[in-house]
Amino acid sequence: MECKDTCQDGLSDALSDQFYQARREEMSKRVPERRFAHIQGVADTATELARIYDVDPRKARLAGILHDWDKPYDDDGIRARAAQVGLEVDPLVLEYMPQTLHGLTAALWLGKEFPQIPRDVLQAVFRHTTCAVDMTDLDMIIYIADCLEPGRRFGRVDEYRELVGKVCLEELFFQVHGYWISLILEKGRTMHPGTIDVWNHYAIRHRERKEAQRIAAGLGPTVIDPNAVAG
């Protein structure tokens, strides 16, 4: 379907205020008030994170307002949506964790409906639930904002808010990603098959950063005492 807004002034530019406000208005009608407050919080938080970490704030704002576009669907609805947009899905995910697909289906549908949306914005929407081993700065910002927006008032979220601007973006992403994994484990929920690969990738990079910092500080590499290792 051709985007209905491509011929309207201001709306052919997906990063314009007009396009953002049009999508924001649509989103306010797609989801309940509480969900919309969360979405607006993500858009605002993503914009601020983008300014701090030198990412285009217009792209962060747009990805933030769009990230939960398909959140209104229940399990059967999101399965149908996946089929509609031609998304190939692991049967395990389709059966036991279909809600993790809402970012993927939203990105695919939005890309067809609004072809002017930049690909990196769509990718950030696509990856905000399942992540990837090659997250861009924009991808990380949307993932982090989804956790740190002001409406989130649980657990250790305030601790991670305190890290904003004090650690590099990848380190902040790593910390937030690890926290979400811990919540999944605590609640005994199923975990997306790709989560371990993502975690291991960034855990290795985290260790490498720490080792580099030690060497830069003149402390030398970490030496592990084999006698102190249990097992």
Side-chain angles (χ1 to χ4, degrees):
M1 180 188 303
E2 183 179 356
C3 170
K4 57 182 175 294
D5 290 324
T6 54
C7 296
Q8 299 179 31
D9 290 343
L11 290 172
S12 60
D13 179 2
L15 300 183
S16 68
D17 288 340
Q18 295 96 320
F19 186 88
Y20 172 80
Q21 292 299 336
R23 304 292 77 74
R24 180 182 182 277
E25 179 65 19
E26 285 185 64
M27 183 64 83
S28 71
K29 298 174 181 178
R30 287 179 66 83
V31 298
E33 183 177 350
R34 184 175 179 180
R35 172 59 56 177
F36 181 69
H38 161 73
I39 292 168
Q40 184 64 68
V42 172
D44 293 343
T45 302
T47 303
E48 181 61 24
L49 287 169
R51 293 192 177 108
I52 293 170
Y53 288 105
D54 197 25
V55 173
D56 189 334
R58 300 170 304 166
K59 290 185 175 182
R61 178 181 70 163
L62 181 59
I65 208 69
L66 295 176
H67 82 284
D68 273 352
W69 189 269
D70 275 1
K71 195 66 174 177
Y73 292 104
D74 61 12
D75 287 357
D76 286 339
I78 203 68
R79 292 183 183 110
R81 183 70 148 174
Q84 178 190 16
V85 299
L87 179 65
E88 294 185 9
V89 185
D90 184 323
L92 177 70
V93 174
L94 197 64
E95 177 67 22
Y96 294 105
M97 54 196 92
Q99 287 302 316
T100 62
L101 301 174
H102 75 269
L104 289 68
T105 59
L108 293 173
W109 187 88
L110 288 164
K112 294 177 181 178
E113 182 73 0
F114 304 108
Q116 67 269 50
I117 297 177
R119 292 180 63 86
D120 53 352
V121 171
L122 294 172
Q123 178 176 283
V125 173
F126 189 94
R127 291 180 168 181
H128 89 271
T129 51
T130 58
C131 300
V133 296
D134 58 345
M135 297 282 278
T136 66
D137 287 353
L138 181 59
D139 296 340
M140 292 182 189
I141 280 174
I142 300 307
Y143 184 86
I144 294 166
D146 198 16
C147 177
L148 302 190
E149 64 92 1
R152 301 288 201 186
R153 293 294 180 187
F154 56 83
R156 298 165 53 191
V157 171
D158 283 340
E159 294 180 29
Y160 300 111
R161 291 190 178 109
E162 290 297 318
L163 296 178
V164 173
K166 298 177 182 177
V167 299
C168 71
L169 182 61
E170 186 176 306
E171 180 64 22
L172 183 58
F173 165 76
F174 172 72
Q175 296 293 337
V176 171
H177 185 54
Y179 182 54
W180 278 121
I181 291 175
S182 71
L183 292 179
I184 292 172
L185 294 175
E186 286 176 9
K187 296 180 180 180
R189 294 181 177 174
T190 52
M191 187 178 298
H192 191 277
T195 298
I196 298 302
D197 288 340
V198 174
W199 171 254
N200 285 339
H201 175 81
Y202 285 100
I204 290 170
R205 289 175 60 86
H206 167 76
R207 184 173 64 186
E208 290 173 345
R209 277 196 305 277
K210 293 301 182 183
E211 288 299 295
Q213 290 169 2
R214 284 181 58 85
I215 293 171
L219 299 175
T222 300
V223 177
I224 299 176
D225 179 1
N227 296 318
V229 178

